[in-house]
Amino acid sequence: MATPTRRARYARRRARRLSLVDNDLTTAQWDALLAAWGGCAYCGAADRSLQRDCVLPISRGGRYTVENVVPACGPCNASKCNTEVVSWLRRKKLDERAFLLRHATLVAAMRAACTDPVPPTHPVTTA
């Protein structure tokens, strides 16, 4: 029997971590995030294909939710890997304050858009 490669072991560990948490990012939410950011959340590149990047990495307890996922270009996603986002932004000399403010604003807007008002339990009649 062949020894599993490092990549295969990592893939199994990642799959195990993902199966243990609730990942509830829908395709519609991802499309809304892409439209809201308009490009890479970190560097702003709009001319590249974008990937789902977890602000808090899966390996550190993150999950695929609206609050934790941002669009990232391939180079930013690969460079960030599983580091903490603020320290990575500082290391890359990117504007961490602008990212955090925009992320918080977009998360609040997405939450507001996703919450539906509770329907009344009794029909309202007007005379």
Side-chain angles (χ1 to χ4, degrees):
M1 175 179 250
T3 306
T5 64
R6 185 178 311 180
R7 183 178 291 175
R9 285 191 308 266
Y10 176 76
R12 279 197 309 275
R13 260 195 326 261
R14 180 177 168 80
R16 195 174 332 117
R17 276 190 218 108
L18 283 172
S19 69
L20 295 175
V21 294
D22 190 21
N23 298 296
D24 58 0
L25 184 71
T26 65
T27 304
Q29 291 170 331
W30 172 242
D31 292 339
L33 283 171
L34 286 173
W37 280 99
C40 177
Y42 303 122
C43 70
D47 58 340
R48 300 178 180 150
S49 64
L50 300 173
Q51 306 167 357
R52 297 173 188 192
D53 182 50
C54 291
V55 175
L56 178 65
I58 300 293
S59 62
R60 295 178 183 240
R63 51 197 188 113
Y64 286 105
T65 61
V66 172
E67 294 87 8
N68 194 41
V69 172
V70 295
C73 63
C76 284
N77 196 6
S79 172
K80 182 178 163 281
C81 192
N82 70 341
T83 58
E84 194 267 329
V85 71
V86 175
S87 62
W88 177 79
L89 287 166
R90 287 179 186 161
R91 189 180 73 225
K92 297 297 273 184
K93 295 182 177 37
L94 296 170
D95 190 357
E96 66 184 273
R97 185 173 192 270
F99 167 78
L100 293 173
L101 285 173
R102 186 148 188 226
H103 182 256
T105 303
L106 292 176
V107 166
M110 294 288 283
R111 279 188 195 148
C114 291
T115 58
D116 295 326
V118 177
T121 56
H122 301 289
V124 177
T125 57
T126 56

